[in-house]
């Protein structure tokens, strides 16, 4: 719910990639064309279903992201028409599930998936990628801990400093 609200803070057209039976009560659902192939397959499916050139791809398990960060990424993507992806590099790596992709990324993703290569990070080396380094994100007010991936209520409580252990 929080991720959907976050995404809707920057666009009214929000979709979920996944199982329609599970996610259709929350938003329109896009099914993977390449099931069980990880995040790259989800990004591919979302882009193939999208009517727009710029697409914010957002994971549901990053609860500390802010609308301001999403708008920052979108603005950077809008200002770089040559970049296929606008992505942060923070917390020790790429942040592919909090990035802005141009629709044309779907072609590279599909080629990779058809070749049996499911890792999204490899594509950032061969396509035009606008990288926003951790230092720049921090200077703009977006600490790397915003990208922390949490999957359980216990992990969230611990991250907030409310761990019962």
């Amino acid at each position: 719910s929080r991720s959907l609200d976050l995404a809707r803070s920057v666009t009214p057209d929000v979709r979920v990639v996944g199982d329609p039976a599970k996610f259709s009560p929350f938003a329109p659902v896009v099914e993977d064309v390449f099931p069980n192939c990880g995040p790259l397959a989800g990004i591919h499916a979302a882009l193939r279903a999208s009517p727009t050139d710029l697409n914010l791809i957002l994971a549901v398990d990053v609860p500390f992201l802010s609308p301001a960060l999403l708008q920052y990424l979108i603005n950077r993507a809008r200002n770089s028409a040559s970049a296929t992806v606008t992505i942060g590099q923070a917390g020790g790596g790429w942040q592919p599930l909090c990035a802005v992709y141009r629709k044309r990324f779907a072609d590279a993703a599909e080629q990779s998936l058809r070749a049996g290569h499911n890792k999204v990070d490899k594509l950032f080396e061969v396509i035009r990628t606008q990288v926003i380094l951790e230092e720049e994100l921090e200077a703009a007010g977006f600490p790397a801990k915003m990208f922390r991936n949490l999957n359980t209520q216990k992990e969230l409580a611990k991250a907030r400093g409310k761990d019962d252990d």
Side-chain angles (χ1 to χ4, degrees):
S1 284
R2 186 200 182 283
S3 292
L4 290 170
D5 290 343
L6 179 63
R8 288 181 181 123
S9 76
V10 294
T11 181
D13 186 10
V14 176
R15 301 166 194 211
V16 175
V17 176
D19 177 9
K22 185 175 181 181
F23 296 113
S24 62
F26 303 103
V29 177
V30 174
E31 290 186 76
D32 281 329
V33 177
F34 296 91
N36 304 312
C37 290
L40 181 59
I43 294 167
H44 169 264
L47 295 175
R48 284 288 186 232
S50 175
T52 64
D53 183 39
L54 287 178
N55 297 273
L56 174 68
I57 302 293
L58 183 61
V60 298
D61 54 5
V62 281
F64 299 127
L65 298 178
S66 70
L69 172 65
L70 302 185
Q71 195 60 60
Y72 183 83
L73 292 170
I74 292 166
N75 290 341
R76 289 292 302 273
R78 282 186 180 139
N79 291 330
S80 180
S82 65
T84 302
V85 178
T86 298
I87 186 170
Q89 198 172 37
W94 300 103
Q95 299 299 324
L97 297 178
C98 181
V100 178
Y101 294 79
R102 291 194 181 276
K103 192 167 177 68
R104 64 183 177 254
F105 182 84
D107 294 333
E110 186 162 332
Q111 279 186 316
S112 184
L113 290 161
R114 287 194 186 283
H117 306 293
N118 300 344
K119 298 291 183 188
V120 66
D121 294 8
K122 294 286 186 191
L123 290 175
F124 302 140
E125 299 168 9
V126 297
I127 59 157
R128 269 207 128 115
T129 303
Q130 178 179 203
V131 180
I132 305 172
L133 298 175
E134 185 170 328
E135 296 79 19
E136 181 183 343
L137 289 166
E138 297 232 352
F142 308 116
K145 66 182 178 182
M146 288 182 93
F147 296 101
R148 189 160 176 196
N149 178 286
L150 304 170
N151 293 294
T152 66
Q153 290 296 324
K154 186 172 183 167
E155 288 175 345
L156 179 60
K158 185 174 182 177
R160 289 182 170 156
K162 299 177 183 174
D163 192 18
D164 293 333
D165 293 339

